[in-house]
Amino acid sequence: MLIDWLGPLMFAGALVLLSLGYPVAFSLGGVAILFGMVGIALDVFDPIFMTAMPQRIFGIMNNFTLLAIPYFIFMGAMLEKSGIAENLLETMGSLFGRLRGGLAIAVVVVGALLAATTGVVAATVVTMGLISLPTMLRYGYNKDVATGVIAASGTLGQIIPPSIVLVVLADQLGVSVGDLFLGSFIPGLLMAGAFVVHVAIMAFFRPDLLPALPPELLKTRGKALALKVIKVMVPPLVLILLVLGSIFFGVATPTEAGALGAVGAIVLAAFNRQLSLRSLQEVCDSTLKTTTMVIFILLGSTAFSLVFRGLRGDSFIFDVLTNLPGGTFGFLVVSMLTVFFLGFFIDFFEIAFIVIPLFAPVAQELGLDLVWYGVIIGANMQTSFLTPPFGFALFYLRGVAPKEVSTGNIYRGAVPFIALQLLVLVAIIAFPGLVNWLPSLSG
């Protein structure tokens, strides 16, 4: 029957418009209107479905979980203005610079700390690319290694809480944001730890690729260095404890913790003498733009899902996915590959609002733990955003890299870290306890 194929055609039409570069919200809304009219003309779509649209919109406006998004966006934007990244990179470079590969290890440590405070990949990659990359190249680091470690460390913001990716995934999967944060904590640390071990092994066997910094650059040492490390490390660690600790220990909801984090970011900016009326205005403007984009995408995806359901597209997709060869394993392979390849072309907001609502009911029907499923989707997206030739993190770094660094350097540098991320992804799929242990303790 024609109605059985209108849903899949609608989904394909949305992907075509997105691949052509049309704005996501309007692509989804426009496709919904077009296929709704076609469905009405063919008498296979009941217009009564659209009467649910106002109720859905008010439901979005009343969603307390989604309120965490502007708070975390504000926190990340304010911390970008506060100079915390520059101070961390400079201090960690002094601390680890005496070691071969120490500067690369410092970049991973700072990337993990920034992920746990800002959760914004673009800001982390750009900041470290502007500050660390010229220094690493100046003192003899291999271009492939330097760009790879910066791009990979920047993507840690996808999986280490408080990640905006995890907030949106929690909402779409219908699970607790706190549980998803807890579940992603160990995998995030595993990712960062794998990067550090890789750098250390490479520095041991190929010291020419990752030399130590010259001693004359490391004048701060002993007690002075220890005091500097404490001074630079304590503020972000306090902010991490304020945000994540309040969630993990049940003191605050993720939304309330996001509000605390936003206030904490303002205090840190003032502490670093970076708080001004102009910077506050720029941060608010950035927050408003990103939040508005998310809400418009939500409105477009709501219209899309209503028409898609009216055309029985959700039933078609559900039947296909639940009857795949291999059962649960087959579904995992197909869903992971879909998310991975879509991550080349569209951002995580679009993936979360278009694809995840199709996968979530199937995962639930197959008896998968949705918190675990959400974490492996997050880890998968992180890998996708680092994979050539379309990885977003690679584009961010390309935009700020010096002219002597080629696109080939960035692509080659990313490959070992992609392998490490896939290794951790396989580990958390094979051993669900890595995800479920902390949520089970809190429950």
Side-chain angles (χ1 to χ4, degrees):
M1 290 179 63
L2 179 62
I3 188 172
D4 292 332
W5 291 100
L6 279 178
L9 283 173
M10 181 181 177
F11 187 76
L15 290 181
V16 168
L17 286 178
L18 291 174
S19 65
L20 291 174
Y22 285 96
V24 178
F26 303 121
S27 296
L28 296 177
V31 167
I33 292 170
L34 176 63
F35 275 82
M37 291 170 63
V38 170
I40 292 171
L42 297 174
D43 199 26
V44 293
F45 177 73
D46 190 343
I48 197 73
F49 272 92
M50 297 310 295
T51 60
M53 188 68 184
Q55 231 175 352
R56 291 283 190 95
I57 292 174
F58 280 109
I60 293 169
M61 294 169 65
N62 288 323
N63 192 326
F64 191 67
T65 300
L66 292 177
L67 192 57
I69 292 175
Y71 286 137
F72 285 128
I73 292 171
F74 180 93
M75 184 174 75
M78 180 56 76
L79 287 172
E80 187 184 354
K81 297 286 183 185
S82 71
I84 188 173
E86 293 89 336
N87 292 337
L88 278 170
L89 283 166
E90 180 189 346
T91 306
M92 291 298 106
S94 299
L95 183 63
F96 293 108
R98 295 169 177 79
L99 305 172
R100 287 180 300 194
L103 199 53
I105 292 174
V107 167
V108 176
V109 172
V110 172
L113 285 170
L114 291 178
T117 49
T118 68
V120 180
V121 171
T124 305
V125 173
V126 169
T127 301
M128 294 197 297
L130 287 171
I131 299 168
S132 293
L133 186 54
T135 304
M136 295 169 87
L137 298 178
R138 190 180 309 125
Y139 294 107
Y141 267 69
N142 177 271
K143 293 176 185 176
D144 295 358
V145 174
T147 54
V149 76
I150 288 173
S153 301
T155 62
L156 290 170
Q158 296 279 7
I159 192 69
I160 293 180
S163 164
I164 300 170
V165 174
L166 298 177
V167 175
V168 175
L169 280 175
D171 176 69
Q172 294 300 302
L173 290 169
V175 299
S176 161
V177 177
D179 284 347
L180 206 54
F181 278 5
L182 281 168
S184 65
F185 193 72
I186 292 176
L189 292 180
L190 280 176
M191 291 275 189
F195 294 168
V196 170
V197 170
H198 169 71
V199 168
I201 292 173
M202 188 181 294
F204 181 79
F205 288 104
R206 293 292 306 274
D208 55 307
L209 300 182
L210 302 93
L213 293 182
E216 58 269 20
L217 289 177
L218 307 170
K219 296 176 182 177
T220 307
R221 58 181 68 232
K223 186 178 179 181
L225 179 58
L227 288 174
K228 188 177 181 182
V229 169
I230 292 171
K231 181 181 176 182
V232 170
M233 289 286 288
V234 167
L237 288 176
V238 168
L239 187 62
I240 292 169
L241 183 64
L242 187 70
V243 176
L244 297 183
S246 60
I247 297 171
F248 293 169
F249 295 111
V251 177
T253 66
T255 302
E256 293 163 347
L260 286 172
V263 173
I266 294 173
V267 172
L268 276 184
F271 181 75
N272 286 342
R273 298 180 181 177
Q274 298 290 332
L275 183 63
S276 64
L277 188 61
R278 182 175 179 179
S279 66
L280 188 62
Q281 186 178 13
E282 289 174 356
V283 168
C284 289
D285 187 51
S286 172
T287 304
L288 182 62
K289 285 179 180 177
T290 308
T291 306
T292 304
M293 177 195 74
V294 174
I295 295 302
F296 266 94
I297 292 172
L298 259 174
L299 295 179
S301 67
T302 298
F304 181 90
S305 65
L306 279 172
V307 176
F308 192 70
R309 182 169 295 178
L311 294 173
R312 299 212 299 263
D314 57 336
S315 301
F316 180 88
I317 298 294
F318 184 87
D319 290 340
V320 169
L321 292 176
T322 51
N323 290 291
L324 287 169
T328 302
F329 179 76
F331 167 71
L332 276 177
V333 170
V334 169
S335 63
M336 290 298 108
L337 286 176
T338 303
V339 170
F340 185 79
F341 286 115
L342 285 178
F344 290 162
F345 308 106
I346 58 178
D347 201 18
F348 70 86
F349 284 120
E350 293 89 78
I351 294 173
F353 294 139
I354 300 171
V355 179
I356 304 306
L358 300 177
F359 289 156
V362 181
Q364 197 165 18
E365 176 70 19
L366 294 173
L368 296 178
D369 183 300
L370 292 184
V371 171
W372 172 77
Y373 186 61
V375 172
I376 64 173
I377 287 175
N380 190 6
M381 283 187 188
Q382 178 182 340
T383 308
S384 175
F385 290 172
L386 188 63
T387 302
F390 304 108
F392 286 106
L394 307 180
F395 290 151
Y396 296 143
L397 185 57
R398 174 68 275 175
V400 297
K403 291 182 179 178
E404 64 266 26
V405 175
S406 69
T407 303
N409 291 136
I410 297 174
Y411 285 179
R412 286 191 299 272
V415 171
F417 294 96
I418 295 167
L420 291 171
Q421 289 187 347
L422 288 173
L423 191 64
V424 174
L425 179 59
V426 170
I428 59 180
I429 291 174
F431 304 102
L434 293 171
V435 173
N436 297 330
W437 181 59
L438 285 178
S440 67
L441 289 179
S442 69

